[in-house]
DNA sequence: GCGCTTGCATTGTGATCGCAATTCAGGGCC
DNA sequence: GGCCCTGAATTGCGATCACAATGCAAGCGC
């Protein structure tokens, strides 16, 4: 337990903690609205409260976690229609923009990479493996977005996905993953292959738009 | 030095530190590209390194500070044309959107508030008080945006202003504040008064667009 | 005189401790 | 039986210490 790690060779502990909590949030393992605590998280992850504090600060700054202003206690933000609407709007702006830039900078390597991820995604869908589907979907979008060479916009998109994560889990829990997909990815790949920026923008916008509509319905149904 | 504060009555220390560093960044008191350290900041602010760590984590998450990936040391992000372009794009999307929503929800109280701030802004301009001008400009925009009742978009706008802060200082250092203003604020106020969402959107978009163009020129001139 | 190396100062990270405040359960009182 | 009050446990915040690693500069060797 007390083994001191040589700090520089691998990622810092607070980064690992950050990733762990992030994944737990995205996959919905921590229920929205529920309260958490530094010490409980630390115990659960087998680390001291210190790196958890650092990770939590980051997550709060990214609005993936919230602080009850009265008692200053941590809690997972609740899923509201209002939040979803704002997140949808923001995603529908940034992500098509990133897709358009990426398409303009694409090469055959990217196309092959996207095709491979999309194949994996279809496989996950066929098997009904929700976790794998979500991972592949994330991988697909961000493999594309990274090519946009737009650090700030990319970070914005990452933050939005982090906040939208819990909503996705709600959708999958209600309607199943299969209804979510109406393959706009192939459309996007074609646009990328052709270097068609506007085509990629439209494909990604359509992809998001459909997904967010499903989430909206699921959230409304939950209320 | 060791006086323990009753924590609940006022804001926490790490929040005060956050605000202090934030202001220092926005007003350009810490030069971009320069390195800072937790202990030096702590000493400068007269607090222990601990709350500085918390504040810095937040600022890094908001990309107002950066970490040199090699030595993990802190530094103020440099001003590049690429960063400015992305920030401009993002601002030109969120802020007009916020303005439009605010205009739809406005009342006479907001109008009076905006008029008062704008008067203060003009006064600052007349006196050549750059700090006061920047504070008033910030106050004007966010008094409006807060009325949009869109927490997430508002936070996004806040993060963008924080990142754009150093650029503003560069502009003022080069061309002076007076050339920045071509009073779109009056135009915005009129739209708000009339509840004209699209008018407010256009006015704010024009305001930003002109300001960002000035910054672009200043940054290009610096290279 | 110049380059390299060694030693010290500084840096970020993590652990541990103390404090104030809130939360919650239990038990006594009416 | 229901209400309140009290005490223990939990929580977030801040301070201090320890440690590995990097940066920097003085001093040695050539």
């Amino acid at each position: 337990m007390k083994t001191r790690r040589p700090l520089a060779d691998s990622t810092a502990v607070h980064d690992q903690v950050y990733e762990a909590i992030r994944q737990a949030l995205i996959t919905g393992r921590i229920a929205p609205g529920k309260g958490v605590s530094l010490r409980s998280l630390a115990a659960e992850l087998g680390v001291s409260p210190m790196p958890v504090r650092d990770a939590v600060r980051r997550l709060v700054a990214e609005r993936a976690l919230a602080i009850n202003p009265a008692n200053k206690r941590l809690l997972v933000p609740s899923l509201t229609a209002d939040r979803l609407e704002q997140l949808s709007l923001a995603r529908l702006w940034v992500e098509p923009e990133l897709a358009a830039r990426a398409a303009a900078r694409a090469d055959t390597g990217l196309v092959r990479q996207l095709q491979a991820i999309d194949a994996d995604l279809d496989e996950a869908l066929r098997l009904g493996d929700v976790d794998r589907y979500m991972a592949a979907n994330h991988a697909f979008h961000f493999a594309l977005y990274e090519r946009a060479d737009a650090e700030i916009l990319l970070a914005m998109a990452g933050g939005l996905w982090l906040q939208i994560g819990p909503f996705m889990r709600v959708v999958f829990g209600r309607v199943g993953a299969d209804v979510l997909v109406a393959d706009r990815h192939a459309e996007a790949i074609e646009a990328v292959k052709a270097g068609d920026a506007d085509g990629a923008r439209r494909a990604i916008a359509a992809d998001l738009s459909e997904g967010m509509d499903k989430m909206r319905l699921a959230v409304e149904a939950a209320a």
Side-chain angles (χ1 to χ4, degrees), chain A residues 47-210:
Chain A
V47 298
S48 97
M50 204 59 225
V52 179
R53 264 174 78 170
D54 288 341
V56 161
R57 284 266 179 250
R58 232 176 116 179
L59 290 161
V60 169
E62 290 168 334
R63 284 175 303 287
L65 285 177
I67 299 185
N68 183 333
N71 27 7
K72 296 171 178 281
R73 270 176 163 79
L74 286 172
L75 55 89
V76 183
S78 312
L79 277 45
T80 68
D82 180 60
R83 266 177 64 87
L84 179 61
E85 190 245 337
Q86 292 179 51
L87 291 173
S88 301
L89 219 64
R91 287 188 67 196
L92 269 172
W93 174 73
V94 231
E95 299 192 29
E97 175 68 28
L98 281 165
R101 289 176 176 232
R105 288 171 179 74
D107 57 10
T108 60
L110 176 62
V111 173
R112 272 200 302 273
Q113 189 184 355
L114 291 178
Q115 286 170 334
I117 296 175
D118 204 36
D120 184 56
L121 189 149
D122 287 337
E123 175 80 0
L125 265 184
R126 201 173 55 76
L127 298 175
D129 187 338
V130 176
D131 282 331
R132 187 171 162 196
Y133 167 74
M134 286 180 64
N137 193 34
H138 180 278
F140 181 88
H141 280 89
F142 281 85
L144 178 61
Y145 299 160
E146 274 172 17
R147 209 43 150 268
D149 195 31
E151 190 197 345
I152 294 177
L153 301 183
L154 180 64
M156 290 179 64
L160 292 171
W161 273 72
L162 184 54
Q163 295 180 70
I164 213 96
F167 287 95
M168 289 195 177
R169 175 57 66 171
V170 169
V171 173
F172 291 144
R174 299 202 148 258
V175 298
D178 44 9
V179 309
L180 254 187
V181 73
D183 212 345
R184 302 292 188 166
H185 287 184
E187 204 172 305
I189 291 178
E190 283 309 310
V192 168
K193 194 188 293 183
D196 175 11
D198 270 333
R201 187 192 303 271
R202 279 193 304 271
I204 293 297
D207 184 47
L208 293 191
S209 197
E210 292 167 9

